[in-house]
Amino acid sequence: MEGYEVVEEQKTAPKKDDTYKVLARKYRPQTLDELVGQEHIATIFKNAIQSNKIGHAYLLTGSRGIGKTSIARIIAKSLNCDHGPTISPCGVCDECKDIQESISINVKEIDGASNRGIDSMRDLQEELQFAPTVGSKKRIVIIDEVHQITREGFNALLKTLEDPPAHVMFIMATTDPQKVLPTILSRCQRFDLNRIPIPLIIGNLKNIIAKENSINPEPIIIDEQALYLIAKKADGGMRDALSLLEQALSYGERTIRVDKVREIFGLI
């Protein structure tokens, strides 16, 4: 039409999600079978799920980066998956995906260091009175570094932990179980996680490198001695091993030799 300029609509391609995920998050285990070095824990939980004998409170103890929070999330998915309870959560239903991304309204993750007082525990008590959303089986509370909660906070939590609503389950994790009140310990099933042996760390690193090489045009090249030093410095923690590997990759530009690893981490 006269007096009007016709502007052709430009079609734009959908944006790709280029958000980078560190290796420790990208390759976090998503099922009990993917756990490394904690087979005894995986077997116990598998048997409990298959026999429908899930407790209301668990305490996972052990050093950092060995799978405590990962186990808690896997159990949450196993119980609340659309196909659950199951030892093999699908990972694709809405609840599984929300739990993986830590945004499920039925799974509350709490940092014990930041929510350690009596007020936080009282707020939690009130919140847990509500049933889970339609389609979900449990309201699950994951408390990381639970030993950081104050004595008053523990006492406020005690009543709910002792006699929780049928739809509520607690999974607590700590690196320092000696600081958890005995009254709390006595109401939980406790599982002690192992430090992961060096050969298992090396094997898992090799698997992850193979997966990375299958999706990247520029392969990661790393020698056996370099892998050994990374696994040894990780001190039994898989998360630390992956963080160290990533640090070495950033320095070595996808080619990692043992001399570079010694240089980066100050090893003799």
Side-chain angles (χ1 to χ4, degrees):
M1 293 177 62
E2 188 177 351
Y4 289 89
E5 182 182 355
V6 178
V7 179
E8 186 178 347
E9 183 181 352
Q10 292 186 354
K11 296 180 180 179
T12 57
K15 290 183 179 179
K16 277 175 60 179
D17 183 8
D18 293 326
T19 305
Y20 178 72
K21 267 191 178 181
V22 296
L23 294 177
R25 289 188 60 207
K26 187 176 181 180
Y27 292 103
R28 170 171 260 175
Q30 301 297 335
T31 66
L32 291 170
D33 288 330
E34 292 179 12
L35 290 171
V36 177
Q38 312 300 343
E39 287 77 11
H40 62 301
I41 305 291
T43 299
I44 291 171
F45 276 115
K46 282 181 181 179
N47 292 338
I49 292 168
Q50 288 176 324
S51 61
N52 197 28
K53 293 181 179 178
I54 291 290
H56 71 277
Y58 293 94
L59 179 68
L60 306 175
T61 74
S63 58
R64 69 183 188 276
I66 58 176
K68 299 185 295 298
T69 306
S70 293
I71 289 173
R73 289 179 181 171
I74 291 169
I75 297 306
K77 287 195 301 180
S78 295
L79 297 179
N80 278 1
C81 175
D82 286 354
H83 308 286
T86 173
I87 62 171
S88 303
C90 68
V92 296
C93 69
D94 289 341
E95 190 65 16
C96 279
K97 289 192 287 188
D98 286 350
I99 293 171
Q100 284 173 198
E101 298 298 324
S102 301
I103 58 173
S104 170
I105 61 176
N106 297 306
V107 179
K108 187 175 183 67
E109 294 194 32
I110 298 174
D111 174 20
S114 306
N115 302 272
R116 58 197 307 263
I118 188 170
D119 291 336
S120 297
M121 293 302 108
R122 282 176 175 167
D123 291 343
L124 177 63
Q125 282 180 312
E126 292 179 8
E127 188 178 334
L128 293 179
Q129 298 306 313
F130 298 100
T133 57
V134 177
S136 294
K137 289 85 175 174
K138 289 281 188 181
R139 294 207 71 179
I140 299 169
V141 181
I142 300 172
I143 308 179
D144 199 17
E145 297 302 333
V146 69
H147 66 272
Q148 299 270 23
I149 295 176
T150 64
R151 178 176 290 272
E152 293 76 17
F154 273 133
N155 287 334
L157 178 65
L158 189 59
K159 177 60 179 173
T160 305
L161 196 62
E162 186 175 31
D163 189 21
H167 60 266
V168 173
M169 175 182 178
F170 288 89
I171 307 177
M172 296 174 281
T174 178
T175 54
D176 199 350
Q178 291 79 13
K179 292 183 179 178
V180 180
L181 290 186
T183 50
I184 299 292
L185 289 172
S186 66
R187 288 162 173 81
C188 300
Q189 294 185 41
R190 173 174 169 172
F191 296 102
D192 297 317
L193 278 68
N194 300 322
R195 289 180 185 268
I196 304 171
I198 289 176
L200 289 182
I201 293 179
I202 291 175
N204 196 48
L205 291 179
K206 285 181 176 180
N207 289 336
I208 288 171
I209 289 170
K211 290 177 182 176
E212 284 292 295
N213 286 345
S214 69
I215 59 177
N216 287 304
E218 186 181 353
I220 297 171
I221 300 171
I222 182 168
D223 60 43
E224 197 77 22
Q225 285 182 302
L227 275 176
Y228 175 81
L229 288 181
I230 288 171
K232 186 174 182 180
K233 186 171 175 59
D235 194 25
M238 185 58 70
R239 184 178 64 219
D240 284 5
L242 289 170
S243 297
L244 292 169
L245 174 63
E246 192 140 37
Q247 190 175 341
L249 285 170
S250 299
Y251 185 88
E253 297 181 351
R254 303 184 76 81
T255 299
I256 307 171
R257 305 297 183 194
V258 66
D259 57 327
K260 292 296 183 183
V261 172
R262 289 198 184 103
E263 185 180 340
I264 295 166
F265 303 123
L267 302 172
I268 299 174

PDB file of all heavy atoms in Angstrom, residues 23-36 66-71 73-74 77 100 204 208 238 242:
ATOM      1  N   LEU A  23      32.761 -30.949  33.760  1.00  0.00           N
ATOM      2  CA  LEU A  23      32.703 -32.405  33.655  1.00  0.00           C
ATOM      3  C   LEU A  23      32.045 -33.041  34.871  1.00  0.00           C
ATOM      4  O   LEU A  23      31.305 -34.027  34.750  1.00  0.00           O
ATOM      5  CB  LEU A  23      34.117 -32.969  33.472  1.00  0.00           C
ATOM      6  CG  LEU A  23      34.831 -32.595  32.167  1.00  0.00           C
ATOM      7  CD1 LEU A  23      36.244 -33.168  32.159  1.00  0.00           C
ATOM      8  CD2 LEU A  23      34.053 -33.093  30.956  1.00  0.00           C
ATOM      9  N   ALA A  24      32.305 -32.493  36.060  1.00  0.00           N
ATOM     10  CA  ALA A  24      31.754 -33.077  37.284  1.00  0.00           C
ATOM     11  C   ALA A  24      30.231 -33.022  37.299  1.00  0.00           C
ATOM     12  O   ALA A  24      29.580 -33.891  37.890  1.00  0.00           O
ATOM     13  CB  ALA A  24      32.321 -32.364  38.511  1.00  0.00           C
ATOM     14  N   ARG A  25      29.643 -32.017  36.661  1.00  0.00           N
ATOM     15  CA  ARG A  25      28.177 -31.927  36.570  1.00  0.00           C
ATOM     16  C   ARG A  25      27.653 -32.715  35.369  1.00  0.00           C
ATOM     17  O   ARG A  25      26.625 -33.366  35.440  1.00  0.00           O
ATOM     18  CB  ARG A  25      27.745 -30.461  36.450  1.00  0.00           C
ATOM     19  CG  ARG A  25      27.925 -29.648  37.723  1.00  0.00           C
ATOM     20  CD  ARG A  25      27.301 -28.279  37.553  1.00  0.00           C
ATOM     21  NE  ARG A  25      25.871 -28.387  37.264  1.00  0.00           N
ATOM     22  CZ  ARG A  25      25.184 -27.477  36.581  1.00  0.00           C
ATOM     23  NH1 ARG A  25      25.795 -26.410  36.075  1.00  0.00           N
ATOM     24  NH2 ARG A  25      23.888 -27.632  36.384  1.00  0.00           N
ATOM     25  N   LYS A  26      28.379 -32.637  34.286  1.00  0.00           N
ATOM     26  CA  LYS A  26      27.943 -33.293  33.047  1.00  0.00           C
ATOM     27  C   LYS A  26      27.877 -34.807  33.205  1.00  0.00           C
ATOM     28  O   LYS A  26      26.985 -35.468  32.650  1.00  0.00           O
ATOM     29  CB  LYS A  26      28.911 -32.909  31.925  1.00  0.00           C
ATOM     30  CG  LYS A  26      28.499 -33.376  30.548  1.00  0.00           C
ATOM     31  CD  LYS A  26      29.489 -32.843  29.509  1.00  0.00           C
ATOM     32  CE  LYS A  26      29.126 -33.264  28.104  1.00  0.00           C
ATOM     33  NZ  LYS A  26      30.091 -32.739  27.108  1.00  0.00           N
ATOM     34  N   TYR A  27      28.827 -35.371  33.961  1.00  0.00           N
ATOM     35  CA  TYR A  27      28.902 -36.820  34.095  1.00  0.00           C
ATOM     36  C   TYR A  27      28.582 -37.295  35.510  1.00  0.00           C
ATOM     37  O   TYR A  27      29.076 -38.323  35.949  1.00  0.00           O
ATOM     38  CB  TYR A  27      30.289 -37.309  33.655  1.00  0.00           C
ATOM     39  CG  TYR A  27      30.510 -37.123  32.180  1.00  0.00           C
ATOM     40  CD1 TYR A  27      31.301 -36.076  31.698  1.00  0.00           C
ATOM     41  CD2 TYR A  27      29.903 -37.957  31.249  1.00  0.00           C
ATOM     42  CE1 TYR A  27      31.487 -35.885  30.333  1.00  0.00           C
ATOM     43  CE2 TYR A  27      30.083 -37.776  29.893  1.00  0.00           C
ATOM     44  CZ  TYR A  27      30.882 -36.739  29.448  1.00  0.00           C
ATOM     45  OH  TYR A  27      31.062 -36.552  28.087  1.00  0.00           O
ATOM     46  N   ARG A  28      27.738 -36.535  36.207  1.00  0.00           N
ATOM     47  CA  ARG A  28      27.264 -36.975  37.517  1.00  0.00           C
ATOM     48  C   ARG A  28      26.403 -38.223  37.319  1.00  0.00           C
ATOM     49  O   ARG A  28      25.561 -38.269  36.414  1.00  0.00           O
ATOM     50  CB  ARG A  28      26.443 -35.865  38.166  1.00  0.00           C
ATOM     51  CG  ARG A  28      25.710 -36.278  39.409  1.00  0.00           C
ATOM     52  CD  ARG A  28      25.112 -35.078  40.113  1.00  0.00           C
ATOM     53  NE  ARG A  28      25.934 -34.681  41.224  1.00  0.00           N
ATOM     54  CZ  ARG A  28      25.728 -33.602  41.970  1.00  0.00           C
ATOM     55  NH1 ARG A  28      24.742 -32.780  41.677  1.00  0.00           N
ATOM     56  NH2 ARG A  28      26.514 -33.308  42.968  1.00  0.00           N
ATOM     57  N   PRO A  29      26.589 -39.270  38.149  1.00  0.00           N
ATOM     58  CA  PRO A  29      25.791 -40.498  37.960  1.00  0.00           C
ATOM     59  C   PRO A  29      24.304 -40.237  38.100  1.00  0.00           C
ATOM     60  O   PRO A  29      23.876 -39.468  38.962  1.00  0.00           O
ATOM     61  CB  PRO A  29      26.307 -41.431  39.071  1.00  0.00           C
ATOM     62  CG  PRO A  29      27.121 -40.597  39.984  1.00  0.00           C
ATOM     63  CD  PRO A  29      27.548 -39.395  39.245  1.00  0.00           C
ATOM     64  N   GLN A  30      23.508 -40.875  37.242  1.00  0.00           N
ATOM     65  CA  GLN A  30      22.065 -40.667  37.214  1.00  0.00           C
ATOM     66  C   GLN A  30      21.273 -41.903  37.624  1.00  0.00           C
ATOM     67  O   GLN A  30      20.057 -41.826  37.805  1.00  0.00           O
ATOM     68  CB  GLN A  30      21.631 -40.230  35.808  1.00  0.00           C
ATOM     69  CG  GLN A  30      22.277 -38.960  35.306  1.00  0.00           C
ATOM     70  CD  GLN A  30      21.931 -37.737  36.158  1.00  0.00           C
ATOM     71  OE1 GLN A  30      20.901 -37.705  36.829  1.00  0.00           O
ATOM     72  NE2 GLN A  30      22.792 -36.733  36.153  1.00  0.00           N
ATOM     73  N   THR A  31      21.951 -43.032  37.782  1.00  0.00           N
ATOM     74  CA  THR A  31      21.295 -44.259  38.253  1.00  0.00           C
ATOM     75  C   THR A  31      22.228 -44.951  39.239  1.00  0.00           C
ATOM     76  O   THR A  31      23.432 -44.655  39.300  1.00  0.00           O
ATOM     77  CB  THR A  31      20.983 -45.227  37.097  1.00  0.00           C
ATOM     78  OG1 THR A  31      22.221 -45.705  36.536  1.00  0.00           O
ATOM     79  CG2 THR A  31      20.159 -44.554  36.009  1.00  0.00           C
ATOM     80  N   LEU A  32      21.683 -45.893  39.991  1.00  0.00           N
ATOM     81  CA  LEU A  32      22.491 -46.638  40.959  1.00  0.00           C
ATOM     82  C   LEU A  32      23.597 -47.427  40.265  1.00  0.00           C
ATOM     83  O   LEU A  32      24.681 -47.614  40.816  1.00  0.00           O
ATOM     84  CB  LEU A  32      21.595 -47.577  41.774  1.00  0.00           C
ATOM     85  CG  LEU A  32      20.628 -46.880  42.754  1.00  0.00           C
ATOM     86  CD1 LEU A  32      19.623 -47.880  43.313  1.00  0.00           C
ATOM     87  CD2 LEU A  32      21.393 -46.196  43.884  1.00  0.00           C
ATOM     88  N   ASP A  33      23.336 -47.890  39.044  1.00  0.00           N
ATOM     89  CA  ASP A  33      24.345 -48.671  38.318  1.00  0.00           C
ATOM     90  C   ASP A  33      25.534 -47.820  37.878  1.00  0.00           C
ATOM     91  O   ASP A  33      26.604 -48.360  37.582  1.00  0.00           O
ATOM     92  CB  ASP A  33      23.709 -49.343  37.090  1.00  0.00           C
ATOM     93  CG  ASP A  33      22.797 -50.493  37.472  1.00  0.00           C
ATOM     94  OD1 ASP A  33      23.055 -51.136  38.509  1.00  0.00           O
ATOM     95  OD2 ASP A  33      21.822 -50.746  36.739  1.00  0.00           O
ATOM     96  N   GLU A  34      25.352 -46.499  37.811  1.00  0.00           N
ATOM     97  CA  GLU A  34      26.436 -45.622  37.379  1.00  0.00           C
ATOM     98  C   GLU A  34      27.350 -45.186  38.519  1.00  0.00           C
ATOM     99  O   GLU A  34      28.365 -44.546  38.279  1.00  0.00           O
ATOM    100  CB  GLU A  34      25.855 -44.380  36.689  1.00  0.00           C
ATOM    101  CG  GLU A  34      25.180 -44.673  35.365  1.00  0.00           C
ATOM    102  CD  GLU A  34      24.586 -43.426  34.721  1.00  0.00           C
ATOM    103  OE1 GLU A  34      24.903 -42.310  35.186  1.00  0.00           O
ATOM    104  OE2 GLU A  34      23.797 -43.562  33.768  1.00  0.00           O
ATOM    105  N   LEU A  35      26.997 -45.533  39.749  1.00  0.00           N
ATOM    106  CA  LEU A  35      27.845 -45.164  40.887  1.00  0.00           C
ATOM    107  C   LEU A  35      29.177 -45.893  40.801  1.00  0.00           C
ATOM    108  O   LEU A  35      29.234 -47.074  40.478  1.00  0.00           O
ATOM    109  CB  LEU A  35      27.149 -45.519  42.206  1.00  0.00           C
ATOM    110  CG  LEU A  35      25.929 -44.682  42.578  1.00  0.00           C
ATOM    111  CD1 LEU A  35      25.223 -45.308  43.790  1.00  0.00           C
ATOM    112  CD2 LEU A  35      26.319 -43.241  42.881  1.00  0.00           C
ATOM    113  N   VAL A  36      30.246 -45.181  41.108  1.00  0.00           N
ATOM    114  CA  VAL A  36      31.590 -45.769  41.052  1.00  0.00           C
ATOM    115  C   VAL A  36      32.125 -45.935  42.475  1.00  0.00           C
ATOM    116  O   VAL A  36      32.153 -44.979  43.251  1.00  0.00           O
ATOM    117  CB  VAL A  36      32.550 -44.874  40.239  1.00  0.00           C
ATOM    118  CG1 VAL A  36      33.963 -45.456  40.240  1.00  0.00           C
ATOM    119  CG2 VAL A  36      32.043 -44.709  38.816  1.00  0.00           C
ATOM    120  N   ILE A  66      32.398 -38.079  46.791  1.00  0.00           N
ATOM    121  CA  ILE A  66      32.366 -39.524  46.549  1.00  0.00           C
ATOM    122  C   ILE A  66      30.959 -40.029  46.224  1.00  0.00           C
ATOM    123  O   ILE A  66      30.765 -41.230  46.048  1.00  0.00           O
ATOM    124  CB  ILE A  66      32.944 -40.318  47.744  1.00  0.00           C
ATOM    125  CG1 ILE A  66      32.171 -40.005  49.026  1.00  0.00           C
ATOM    126  CG2 ILE A  66      34.426 -40.010  47.922  1.00  0.00           C
ATOM    127  CD1 ILE A  66      32.628 -40.827  50.217  1.00  0.00           C
ATOM    128  N   GLY A  67      29.970 -39.108  46.169  1.00  0.00           N
ATOM    129  CA  GLY A  67      28.662 -39.521  45.664  1.00  0.00           C
ATOM    130  C   GLY A  67      27.494 -39.392  46.615  1.00  0.00           C
ATOM    131  O   GLY A  67      26.401 -39.899  46.316  1.00  0.00           O
ATOM    132  N   LYS A  68      27.644 -38.703  47.740  1.00  0.00           N
ATOM    133  CA  LYS A  68      26.548 -38.633  48.719  1.00  0.00           C
ATOM    134  C   LYS A  68      25.307 -37.934  48.146  1.00  0.00           C
ATOM    135  O   LYS A  68      24.205 -38.473  48.181  1.00  0.00           O
ATOM    136  CB  LYS A  68      27.025 -37.908  49.991  1.00  0.00           C
ATOM    137  CG  LYS A  68      28.183 -38.609  50.705  1.00  0.00           C
ATOM    138  CD  LYS A  68      28.535 -37.937  52.008  1.00  0.00           C
ATOM    139  CE  LYS A  68      29.080 -36.525  51.829  1.00  0.00           C
ATOM    140  NZ  LYS A  68      30.342 -36.479  51.055  1.00  0.00           N
ATOM    141  N   THR A  69      25.497 -36.728  47.607  1.00  0.00           N
ATOM    142  CA  THR A  69      24.362 -35.990  47.051  1.00  0.00           C
ATOM    143  C   THR A  69      23.823 -36.674  45.798  1.00  0.00           C
ATOM    144  O   THR A  69      22.611 -36.689  45.560  1.00  0.00           O
ATOM    145  CB  THR A  69      24.766 -34.539  46.736  1.00  0.00           C
ATOM    146  OG1 THR A  69      25.320 -33.934  47.902  1.00  0.00           O
ATOM    147  CG2 THR A  69      23.565 -33.725  46.294  1.00  0.00           C
ATOM    148  N   SER A  70      24.713 -37.259  45.005  1.00  0.00           N
ATOM    149  CA  SER A  70      24.262 -37.987  43.809  1.00  0.00           C
ATOM    150  C   SER A  70      23.352 -39.147  44.193  1.00  0.00           C
ATOM    151  O   SER A  70      22.310 -39.374  43.568  1.00  0.00           O
ATOM    152  CB  SER A  70      25.463 -38.502  43.013  1.00  0.00           C
ATOM    153  OG  SER A  70      26.204 -37.447  42.459  1.00  0.00           O
ATOM    154  N   ILE A  71      23.729 -39.894  45.232  1.00  0.00           N
ATOM    155  CA  ILE A  71      22.896 -41.017  45.690  1.00  0.00           C
ATOM    156  C   ILE A  71      21.535 -40.505  46.141  1.00  0.00           C
ATOM    157  O   ILE A  71      20.495 -41.085  45.824  1.00  0.00           O
ATOM    158  CB  ILE A  71      23.602 -41.790  46.827  1.00  0.00           C
ATOM    159  CG1 ILE A  71      24.802 -42.561  46.269  1.00  0.00           C
ATOM    160  CG2 ILE A  71      22.630 -42.748  47.521  1.00  0.00           C
ATOM    161  CD1 ILE A  71      25.652 -43.226  47.333  1.00  0.00           C
ATOM    162  N   ARG A  73      19.875 -37.870  45.175  1.00  0.00           N
ATOM    163  CA  ARG A  73      19.044 -37.506  44.021  1.00  0.00           C
ATOM    164  C   ARG A  73      18.580 -38.736  43.248  1.00  0.00           C
ATOM    165  O   ARG A  73      17.451 -38.778  42.745  1.00  0.00           O
ATOM    166  CB  ARG A  73      19.825 -36.566  43.101  1.00  0.00           C
ATOM    167  CG  ARG A  73      20.034 -35.173  43.682  1.00  0.00           C
ATOM    168  CD  ARG A  73      20.825 -34.303  42.732  1.00  0.00           C
ATOM    169  NE  ARG A  73      21.060 -32.974  43.277  1.00  0.00           N
ATOM    170  CZ  ARG A  73      21.862 -32.073  42.730  1.00  0.00           C
ATOM    171  NH1 ARG A  73      22.513 -32.358  41.609  1.00  0.00           N
ATOM    172  NH2 ARG A  73      22.029 -30.882  43.282  1.00  0.00           N
ATOM    173  N   ILE A  74      19.449 -39.741  43.144  1.00  0.00           N
ATOM    174  CA  ILE A  74      19.065 -40.973  42.438  1.00  0.00           C
ATOM    175  C   ILE A  74      17.917 -41.659  43.169  1.00  0.00           C
ATOM    176  O   ILE A  74      16.950 -42.121  42.543  1.00  0.00           O
ATOM    177  CB  ILE A  74      20.277 -41.922  42.305  1.00  0.00           C
ATOM    178  CG1 ILE A  74      21.306 -41.340  41.327  1.00  0.00           C
ATOM    179  CG2 ILE A  74      19.825 -43.309  41.830  1.00  0.00           C
ATOM    180  CD1 ILE A  74      22.636 -42.072  41.329  1.00  0.00           C
ATOM    181  N   LYS A  77      14.743 -39.810  42.476  1.00  0.00           N
ATOM    182  CA  LYS A  77      14.214 -40.140  41.150  1.00  0.00           C
ATOM    183  C   LYS A  77      13.614 -41.545  41.130  1.00  0.00           C
ATOM    184  O   LYS A  77      12.560 -41.764  40.522  1.00  0.00           O
ATOM    185  CB  LYS A  77      15.329 -40.038  40.097  1.00  0.00           C
ATOM    186  CG  LYS A  77      15.736 -38.626  39.752  1.00  0.00           C
ATOM    187  CD  LYS A  77      16.555 -38.568  38.471  1.00  0.00           C
ATOM    188  CE  LYS A  77      17.805 -39.401  38.563  1.00  0.00           C
ATOM    189  NZ  LYS A  77      18.609 -39.337  37.316  1.00  0.00           N
ATOM    190  N   GLN A 100      16.850 -33.869  38.487  1.00  0.00           N
ATOM    191  CA  GLN A 100      18.209 -33.725  37.951  1.00  0.00           C
ATOM    192  C   GLN A 100      18.657 -32.268  37.938  1.00  0.00           C
ATOM    193  O   GLN A 100      19.832 -31.962  38.171  1.00  0.00           O
ATOM    194  CB  GLN A 100      18.268 -34.298  36.534  1.00  0.00           C
ATOM    195  CG  GLN A 100      18.286 -35.815  36.488  1.00  0.00           C
ATOM    196  CD  GLN A 100      18.173 -36.366  35.074  1.00  0.00           C
ATOM    197  OE1 GLN A 100      17.842 -37.526  34.885  1.00  0.00           O
ATOM    198  NE2 GLN A 100      18.465 -35.557  34.084  1.00  0.00           N
ATOM    199  N   ASN A 204      37.098 -44.739  35.321  1.00  0.00           N
ATOM    200  CA  ASN A 204      35.986 -43.837  35.037  1.00  0.00           C
ATOM    201  C   ASN A 204      36.442 -42.634  34.219  1.00  0.00           C
ATOM    202  O   ASN A 204      35.733 -42.172  33.317  1.00  0.00           O
ATOM    203  CB  ASN A 204      35.347 -43.377  36.344  1.00  0.00           C
ATOM    204  CG  ASN A 204      33.974 -42.775  36.129  1.00  0.00           C
ATOM    205  OD1 ASN A 204      33.138 -43.340  35.438  1.00  0.00           O
ATOM    206  ND2 ASN A 204      33.735 -41.605  36.705  1.00  0.00           N
ATOM    207  N   ILE A 208      34.981 -41.415  30.563  1.00  0.00           N
ATOM    208  CA  ILE A 208      34.494 -40.052  30.314  1.00  0.00           C
ATOM    209  C   ILE A 208      35.263 -39.410  29.165  1.00  0.00           C
ATOM    210  O   ILE A 208      34.682 -38.738  28.309  1.00  0.00           O
ATOM    211  CB  ILE A 208      34.599 -39.212  31.605  1.00  0.00           C
ATOM    212  CG1 ILE A 208      33.527 -39.686  32.594  1.00  0.00           C
ATOM    213  CG2 ILE A 208      34.461 -37.714  31.318  1.00  0.00           C
ATOM    214  CD1 ILE A 208      33.656 -39.100  33.971  1.00  0.00           C
ATOM    215  N   MET A 238      35.762 -38.662  43.275  1.00  0.00           N
ATOM    216  CA  MET A 238      35.566 -38.614  41.829  1.00  0.00           C
ATOM    217  C   MET A 238      35.349 -37.183  41.351  1.00  0.00           C
ATOM    218  O   MET A 238      35.814 -36.789  40.281  1.00  0.00           O
ATOM    219  CB  MET A 238      34.385 -39.499  41.419  1.00  0.00           C
ATOM    220  CG  MET A 238      34.178 -39.601  39.920  1.00  0.00           C
ATOM    221  SD  MET A 238      35.634 -40.243  39.053  1.00  0.00           S
ATOM    222  CE  MET A 238      35.599 -41.941  39.616  1.00  0.00           C
ATOM    223  N   LEU A 242      37.592 -35.229  38.450  1.00  0.00           N
ATOM    224  CA  LEU A 242      37.076 -34.585  37.242  1.00  0.00           C
ATOM    225  C   LEU A 242      37.449 -33.101  37.203  1.00  0.00           C
ATOM    226  O   LEU A 242      37.738 -32.559  36.130  1.00  0.00           O
ATOM    227  CB  LEU A 242      35.560 -34.750  37.174  1.00  0.00           C
ATOM    228  CG  LEU A 242      35.089 -36.179  36.865  1.00  0.00           C
ATOM    229  CD1 LEU A 242      33.591 -36.305  37.052  1.00  0.00           C
ATOM    230  CD2 LEU A 242      35.485 -36.580  35.460  1.00  0.00           C
TER     231      LEU A 242
END
